[in-house]
Amino acid sequence: MELSYWQSKWRKGHIGFHMKNGHPGLAKYWDSVSFDSNPVALVPLCGKSKDLLFLSDHCEKVIGVEISEIAIQEFLSENNFTSKKKTFADFTIYQTKNIEIWQGDFFKLPSHKISSPGLIYDRAALVALPPKMREVYAEKIIELASPHTKIFLQIFEYPQHEMNGPPFSVSVKEVEKFFGKKFSIQILEKNHQDFKNFKNRGLHSYFIEILSLLLPEEGWI
Ligand code: SAH
């Protein structure tokens, strides 16, 4: 998926992935994930997600990364935030409250400038990417993680031959392949979802959402 693909989606307002009230799984599982202290949360491919607000209330700091400036401007204006702007390398960084949104290509994020996250929150990020890019994404996530990082991950499983992504179908097996050496994967829930919006793209069998928590294996570094 080219960056221009996403920028054009935002320009045209074709953002079916955006959830008006955020993802309910975040609040539902928050208390069962134990953190040593208030974590720094990293949100790759954050869009204008309302989940950033929940995380801002529950974390020391939230760092979102998003290519579309429109998404960030909409996030700020829809939530009545004013922001300060600075730049670093290829990124423009928007700061408001304890939220920092780095506007630029996630794959170029300078990991040495990012505080070690206690949580990486992936909602509709891994599944936004085609197979080859998912591999590179997983490597980048591992580069940004540390032995205390927990990853909240949402994936979708459906017959890929029936419909083209995004969202792409990503199996638990693929998640194992990417993260299994460093994380143990705990499935939180599997939900058969209504997929009427995908029917005109060819999907006719099933569409399952899987929420999982990836917990760091002892001493993986
Ligand atoms: N997590 C968000 C958005 C998911 S859709 C939510 O829950 O609503 C994927 C988002 O990733 C889009 O907003 C797209 O603009 C952004 N994106 C795609 N590739 C990117 C990249 N390489 N770097 C930064 N953002 C990217």
Side-chain angles (χ1 to χ4, degrees):
M1 239 77 251
E2 304 291 325
L3 292 177
S4 57
Y5 166 90
W6 291 104
Q7 276 158 332
S8 138
K9 289 269 171 206
W10 278 101
R11 253 193 327 271
K12 295 178 188 155
H14 294 168
I15 50 163
F17 51 80
H18 177 69
M19 297 179 84
K20 232 171 62 204
N21 301 311
H23 194 289
L26 179 56
K28 179 170 172 188
Y29 291 105
W30 186 259
D31 288 339
S32 57
V33 188
S34 59
F35 294 105
D36 301 339
S37 53
N38 266 3
V40 169
L42 175 67
V43 188
L45 284 57
C46 64
K48 59 170 179 175
S49 173
K50 291 281 180 191
D51 298 332
L52 296 170
L53 304 178
F54 178 94
L55 291 168
S56 155
D57 287 342
H58 292 81
C59 297
E60 184 190 319
K61 181 176 172 185
V62 183
I63 304 166
V65 187
E66 170 56 50
I67 191 65
S68 164
E69 194 185 336
I70 296 176
I72 299 171
Q73 292 300 352
E74 290 184 4
F75 172 76
L76 295 170
S77 64
E78 288 170 15
N79 297 297
N80 299 315
F81 288 140
T82 52
S83 67
K84 281 193 209 137
K85 220 159 94 164
K86 56 184 186 180
T87 55
F88 182 83
D90 292 337
F91 287 85
T92 305
I93 306 160
Y94 294 79
Q95 259 178 320
T96 181
K97 291 172 65 191
N98 61 344
I99 305 173
E100 245 179 28
I101 305 185
W102 288 56
Q103 189 253 316
D105 183 357
F106 174 70
F107 295 96
K108 294 190 181 156
L109 194 68
S111 36
H112 66 282
K113 291 298 252 180
I114 302 297
S115 332
S116 157
L119 173 70
I120 296 180
Y121 180 73
D122 177 321
R123 194 250 142 202
L126 181 64
V127 295
L129 304 169
K132 283 258 157 54
M133 283 177 82
R134 293 203 285 276
E135 237 171 276
V136 186
Y137 173 87
E139 281 164 18
K140 185 76 186 171
I141 291 287
I142 289 174
E143 174 192 317
L144 289 155
S146 66
H148 72 279
T149 306
K150 296 175 179 169
I151 304 177
F152 184 98
L153 174 67
Q154 177 203 42
I155 53 172
F156 299 125
E157 268 192 18
Y158 65 87
Q160 188 70 87
H161 62 273
E162 290 183 12
M163 175 175 95
N164 291 326
F168 290 90
S169 176
V170 177
S171 64
V172 173
K173 215 166 125 200
E174 188 175 338
V175 174
E176 277 284 350
K177 188 183 88 189
F178 290 151
F179 298 105
K181 285 205 184 93
K182 311 230 157 164
F183 293 87
S184 64
I185 297 156
Q186 188 186 328
I187 305 294
L188 300 171
E189 53 184 76
K190 291 191 180 194
N191 304 309
H192 274 268
Q193 288 197 328
D194 172 37
F195 55 93
K196 62 175 184 301
N197 293 342
F198 295 141
K199 282 204 169 130
N200 63 354
R201 288 170 61 182
L203 188 64
H204 54 269
S205 302
Y206 61 89
F207 187 84
I208 304 173
E209 176 196 49
I210 301 168
L211 301 182
S212 65
L213 192 62
L214 276 50
L215 300 169
E217 299 277 13
E218 290 277 316
W220 61 256
I221 256 175

